[in-house]
Structures are given as C-alpha cells and as structure tokens.
Amino acid sequence: MTTIDTIDKNKVPNHLAIIMDGNGRWAKKHGKIRVFGHENGVKTVKKTVESCAAAGISYLTLYTFSTENWNRPKFEIDTLMRLLVSSLKKELATFMENNIALNAIGDLDSLPQKARKELQEVIQKTSKNTGLTLTLALSYGAREEIKNAIQAISTKVKNNIISVENIDETIINNHLYTHNLPDVDLLIRTSGEHRISNFLLWQIAYAELYFTDVLWPDFTEQHLVEAILNYQNRERRFGKTSEQLI
Ligand code: IPE
Ligand code: IPE
Ligand code: MG
C-alpha cells in the first residue's frame, strides 16, 4: 500500500487545492438521499486534512460551498450549513493537536449567523498554529472574488491611492480573498468531472491539474498519495524549455 511515508517530503505541493465532488452520486449509489453523501464526505475531509498535515503540506484549500451551490434545494443547503457548524465544533481539538490554522475565503457574510460565529471562533482559536493552513472556500466564487478586487482597486484609483499605471499582478493578488496564500501548485478534483466550476481562477494559472473518478466519500489517503506522487513526477516548466530547468 502506498502511504504518506512513500512520498518525497521535500517535493510536496506547497499549496494543494481540492474540489471535493461526488457526494450526491455516492449517496445515490448507496440508495440513500444526497445529504447522506455529505455526511460521509465530512469524514473524508477530516482524514484528508490529517494526511496533508502529516505529509508536510503548508496550505490546503477545500472547495466546500460555491456561490452557485446557493441554487440547491433549501433542505440540502440547510444540511450543509448544519454539518459545517457541527464539524467546526468537533474538529477544533484536531486542529490544535495537528498545529493547523483555520482560514476561510468567500462571501462569508452570506453564511448563516451560526456558521459565521463558529468559523470566527475556530479561526481565532487556531490563529497561533504554525503548521498547515487550512482554508475553507465557503460561498466562494472566483468571478465574484475578481469582481470585488476590481471594485476595491477602482475605488483606490478614484481616491488617488493607486494610479492606473501602477496596477500590476501583485496589486491584483493583494485584493483577492487569497491575498495571504501562495499560488496553487496542485489542484485535485474528484468524481470524474473535468471542470473548474468557478474555483480559484486566478490562483490556478500554473497549477498542475489532477482528475480522479473516485467519488469524494471514497477518497482515501492512498488516493491522495497517488495524486501527490503523480505531481512529483511532472515537469513544471512555467513557459521555459526542459533544458533551461537543469
Ligand atoms: C460535492 O458533492 C459537495 C458540494 C458541492 C457541496 P456534490 O453534492 O456536488 O455531489 P454530486 O456532484 O451531485 O455527486
Ligand atoms: C463544485 O462542485 C463546488 C464544490 C465542490 C463545493 P459542484 O458539484 O457544485 O460543481 P458543478 O456544478 O457540477 O460544476
Ligand atoms: Mg457535484
């Protein structure tokens, strides 16, 4: 079995992002309603976070709820928000034990009050942890993030804080939700869908993409290790030639 110990700890992705997809189909496959899939997906989140911390990954960002997911049936949205609150309460101890700092990105103001309060509390209590930074993308949409950045920069231009000529990639980066996170190195999507679904459009410009047919509740440490090993065998050229990299 391929375990975390088989990976080269010096070459793990600095920032791993995951589109955790397939909970609904997993539930259907087991003859259950969709939310059963979300309940089991939460177990995979816990295991994956622990494995990433053990692997020495510095940043893990999980696509947890998209701006488009607000269009789902109310019962499903309510269940997802309830699961978020109960998981945060339950996992604070796990975060402290594993030196994990919690972070959140997205339109957090649109979350139910209970979820906002719990998030705030766990973020604050884990803020001194220096290991893995775990970022939950909640009510997150990359286009909205970019729109917000453009509005914020435009306001600064209007107020003579920034001049148009000085707008560069660093300034744009600094106005995104992810301003304190590095670019994504590896993006994993489960469930066999080959799309980005409005996730981190700016930040994945040079990420390595990895798609697996495994449904999120079935995603194990072994699948994670396979993805990391695959990543470690890729040549990231960033526009250069192979010869230039030697
Ligand atoms: C991912 O699983 C979880 C969220 C988007 C919240 P889905 O709920 O999208 O599951 P499928 O894609 O319908 O199987
Ligand atoms: C993306 O999955 C959002 C999350 C995983 C939170 P979706 O299941 O919502 O994506 P689409 O709509 O199938 O592209
Ligand atoms: Mg889906």
Side-chain angles (χ1 to χ4, degrees), residues 19-25 34 38 69 72 189-191 193 195 197:
I19 302 176
M20 312 183 287
D21 198 14
N23 292 352
R25 277 163 283 169
R34 295 180 55 84
H38 297 316
N69 289 149
R72 291 193 179 194
R189 180 168 191 151
T190 59
S191 91
E193 307 297 358
R195 55 176 174 261
S197 302

Side-chain angles (χ1 to χ4, degrees), residues 16-32:
L16 168 65
I18 308 181
I19 302 176
M20 312 183 287
D21 198 14
N23 292 352
R25 277 163 283 169
W26 186 88
K28 201 168 172 193
K29 211 174 94 184
H30 290 82
K32 300 275 171 54

Side-chain angles (χ1 to χ4, degrees), residues 7 133 136:
I7 59 175
T133 297
L136 300 182

